[in-house]
Amino acid sequence: MFKMTRARASGAISRLFSCLILVLAATLAGELVGAGPGPAPGPAVGPPLRLPGGLEWLNVARPLTPADLKGKVVILDFWTYGCINCIHVAEELRQLEGRFGSQLVVIGVHSPKFDHERNLEALRSMVVRLERRHPILSDPDWSLMEYYGARAWPTLALFAPDGSWVGRVSGEGQGGRLARAIEGLLETHRDELDDRPLPMALEQDRLAASRLAAPGKVAVSPDGSQMAISDTLHHRVILAGADGKIRRVFGSGVSGLRDGPCEEAQFNAPQGLAFADGALLVADPGSHTLRHIDLAAGRVGTLAGTGRIGLSRAQGPVKARQQDLRSPWDLVPGQGVLYIAMAGSHQIWRLDLEDALIGPYGGSGHEGIDDGGLGEASFSQPSGLALIGTDLYVADAEASAIRRVRLDRGRVETLIGEGLFEFGDRDGSFERAQLQHPAGIAALGADRLAIADTYNHKVKLIDLRSRTVTTVLGTGKPGRRIGTAGETELNEPGGLAYAGGRLLVADTNNHRILSLDLDSGEVRDWVLTE
């Protein structure tokens, strides 16, 4: 069996370990290894359930033991927290947990791709942000991932109530097959089942309440008089004046997909924001929709999406309200159109605002960092967009890259970045610079861009003329200190907006918005007030 190591995770080999777009189980994910074609499990062909000591647990009162899991069906979910496909699989697993209750235990085995993801406190924050309420086991050196032969994120390993191996699958769309296998296991082992609950202690219960919870993105109105914040973990959008005084809150605070008056509407982990013609447009990845807020009427509507996750490569354009979307993460208006960073399908989409037609615009749908024509190029979880003239700039998170779409030429090119496993923290020329999972980008006039270099806990500036990258905020280590620009600490900044010489930074894991004066270097906490 090929043994993967970080030093060897490059080139063609790294593609084996990328977040997979495995949507149709029969055609893309193959068979459930070791499981029969029907509900009943097949013979044990892999190692039995193992819980090694020395690893850190989250969401539990104490480390789990084999005795805790005896009499329960167990799924080990191998994931890494920056992977959009892992987020989608977590949604599928929540449905299985709701269906089978305490007879099924999901254990999220976090085997990180990026260096920053090995940080236990960072993982703790992400477990809360993703609302993962099952036991989490930190596997920073991939020991369990290698032991069970997992070669992709996400991979799911299934075990019977007696701890024996049942099978393994990779990718999305496996919920139905897993459900049938679980039903068969529960029937076969019905005399051995144990319904007792596990000793849970959720990480979300340990966090103090705050006005903002993991704000993902921030936007400024064209005249600079209004600011919008996606209060992501509170499932709402906040509209404030330039002085920070809250003018209106959209969303009840309960996750969901509901249109209507601002107090009754529901969002699900909103991200990207854009002001357009008296409205505020919202990328709502948790509900797989684009939302429309009428600022005058105070009402929320759905602009695009059905609420269902898109499970196939879309052919378009089609009516926006009839098209399933796949985790739209950011958006930016153009001339009569809206460009969308469709993180879940690794593409850029476009919505015609007049005809209400939507469809893929750039990217093949395969995860990668290929340049070329719109249909040939590939992206890797695009998470931030900025438009300058006829150039669309993309923060391509999983490739740790900054890409440029030449709208007038129909071509995609890479400015910074080399591959899915080529990342770091290095300023300098475009050829030399390295980033780590950048999630936000903002235009600063015609020749400059600001980047939220998320996993490096920094904000960097790109000079398009000199083709250089420079750090302007952050120390490179996660923290909360506010001082000079070089002393201020960030924690996974996710979104940026620019207005009047100041850069607003959504400092996601610090649950705050910072303001940076780009001329003086002054940094201050942009405080929201009632």
Side-chain angles (χ1 to χ4, degrees), residues 315-381:
Q315 304 296 320
V318 300
K319 292 289 186 182
R321 290 295 305 273
Q322 298 174 9
Q323 176 64 59
D324 297 341
L325 306 182
R326 192 173 177 80
S327 293
W329 213 265
D330 201 11
L331 37 75
V332 63
Q335 292 293 326
V337 299
L338 187 69
Y339 295 101
I340 305 132
M342 201 67 71
S345 65
H346 309 290
Q347 292 174 309
I348 305 301
W349 282 41
R350 186 170 66 178
L351 168 64
D352 188 306
L353 293 172
E354 182 177 350
D355 296 336
L357 298 176
I358 194 171
Y361 174 73
S364 64
H366 298 288
E367 187 175 23
I369 189 173
D370 301 303
D371 292 344
L374 293 175
E376 305 163 354
S378 60
F379 294 91
S380 296
Q381 201 171 313

Side-chain angles (χ1 to χ4, degrees), residues 128-150:
V128 174
R129 283 164 55 185
L130 296 179
E131 298 185 319
R132 297 191 72 137
R133 299 186 176 94
H134 48 242
I136 301 293
L137 185 58
S138 178
D139 181 32
D141 296 316
W142 300 353
S143 59
L144 274 181
M145 198 168 192
E146 292 184 343
Y147 179 76
Y148 286 109

Side-chain angles (χ1 to χ4, degrees), residues 13-26:
I13 292 175
S14 73
R15 287 193 290 272
L16 294 173
F17 240 116
S18 63
C19 299
L20 301 180
I21 313 175
L22 298 185
V23 179
L24 300 176

